[in-house]
Amino acid sequence: AQTVTQSQPEMSVQEAETVTLSCTYDTSESDYYLFWYKQPPSRQMILVIRQEAYKQQNATENRFSVNFQKAAKSFSLKISDSQLGDAAMYFCAYRSAEAGTASKLTFGTGTRLQVML
Amino acid sequence: DTGVSQDPRHKITKRGQNVTFRCDPISEHNRLYWYRQTLGQGPEFLTYFQNEAQLEKSRLLSDRFSAERPKGSFSTLEIQRTEQGDSAMYLCASSFGGTAGNTIYFGEGSWLTVV
């Protein structure tokens, strides 16, 4: 079974600064996707960024980028120019792309990000 | 398109009572997922449907839990004889197609408190 580990329960960053959230995962599969989801307080979870395992190029979405190290099974999220609206729980998630799998998301335990003025 | 909607948003029930949650996915999304999330934890997969067929159930889904999606549109999650350990947020999500890279959209969740 796949597992996702987020070792930072909480992180804080100054507004306009850069912060990196860590995620490691364990799998024996070769075809999968990795995601970062953001869950603001009392709001629904929204997708921040996704990475396909077969793509070597790190994904980027505006101020959000990832550092995907497939051999190390590491998938960190970098948030540049942090804004107050970035304050939320961030979840790293894994989804198998192997044929015949359920294609469900497996989540880590989350990292709470605080953004300081 | 108003996104995934869940009802009720909050439910307080006495131990032993039955509760039912409803989820309306994004229209035309053929996949629907249920997750459970407790405080300080990430969401845990419970079950998912492709159209009206329930294709996988987690071992977390005990006999007291049942989910349906009768016409391949909305879904219900019923918990019978609730226990305090059932207190959690129940998240519904939907997606179009089964490609792993497709975005899964989540609702705001239904909070259950069992007293």
Side-chain angles (χ1 to χ4, degrees):
Chain A
Q2 296 79 32
T3 58
V4 178
T5 302
Q6 293 179 250
S7 58
Q8 305 157 316
E10 290 191 13
M11 293 283 285
S12 62
V13 62
Q14 292 290 128
E15 195 177 20
E17 296 295 309
T18 296
V19 64
T20 299
L21 308 184
S22 301
C23 172
T24 58
Y25 60 95
D26 190 25
T27 185
S28 58
E29 298 176 336
S30 59
D31 194 7
Y32 53 88
Y33 280 80
L34 296 164
F35 303 84
W36 279 97
Y37 274 86
K38 170 185 177 182
Q39 187 177 41
S42 301
R43 302 289 303 276
Q44 73 259 51
M45 200 147 23
I46 56 174
L47 178 65
V48 174
I49 198 166
R50 87 190 82 205
Q51 174 80 42
E52 184 177 6
Y54 274 118
K55 290 189 176 178
Q56 293 185 342
Q57 186 173 7
N58 289 323
T60 300
E61 289 286 345
N62 301 313
R63 298 183 296 107
F64 299 87
S65 62
V66 299
N67 184 4
F68 174 48
Q69 301 290 327
K70 190 172 184 178
K73 296 180 181 174
S74 169
F75 182 61
S76 61
L77 174 69
K78 185 171 81 171
I79 306 174
S80 303
D81 186 25
S82 297
Q83 301 174 0
L84 293 177
D86 294 333
M89 282 290 287
Y90 286 82
F91 291 98
C92 179
Y94 172 102
R95 192 178 189 194
S96 172
E98 301 278 334
T101 60
S103 204
K104 62 182 181 286
L105 287 166
T106 300
F107 288 90
T109 52
T111 296
R112 182 173 302 280
L113 178 66
Q114 293 183 317
V115 181
M116 311 295 198
L117 285 170
Chain B
D1 191 349
T2 57
V4 179
S5 62
Q6 295 188 240
D7 182 71
R9 294 290 316 282
H10 297 88
K11 177 73 175 179
I12 300 175
T13 191
K14 291 183 178 180
R15 189 175 53 185
Q17 297 295 305
N18 300 343
V19 296
T20 299
F21 299 112
R22 176 182 169 122
C23 171
D24 287 272
I26 294 171
S27 59
E28 298 182 354
H29 277 192
N30 57 349
R31 287 206 169 193
L32 186 147
Y33 305 81
W34 284 100
Y35 285 81
R36 181 172 70 186
Q37 185 178 16
T38 53
L39 285 174
Q41 298 296 318
E44 296 173 295
F45 171 76
L46 292 178
T47 188
Y48 93 100
F49 293 83
Q50 181 161 303
N51 299 312
E52 65 274 10
Q54 188 175 17
L55 296 186
E56 184 175 346
K57 293 194 293 185
S58 163
R59 65 182 185 281
L60 294 175
L61 215 65
S62 74
D63 291 345
R64 298 183 296 104
F65 288 70
S66 63
E68 294 183 343
R69 194 183 183 196
K71 297 182 180 179
S73 56
F74 74 92
S75 175
T76 57
L77 177 69
E78 182 184 18
I79 308 173
Q80 296 181 326
R81 305 181 304 281
T82 52
E83 302 173 355
Q84 287 189 324
D86 298 331
S87 296
M89 181 164 66
Y90 291 85
L91 289 166
C92 179
S94 70
S95 69
F96 180 75
T99 303
N102 288 0
T103 301
I104 295 179
Y105 296 87
F106 284 81
E108 295 189 18
S110 292
W111 278 102
L112 173 64
T113 302
V114 181
V115 297

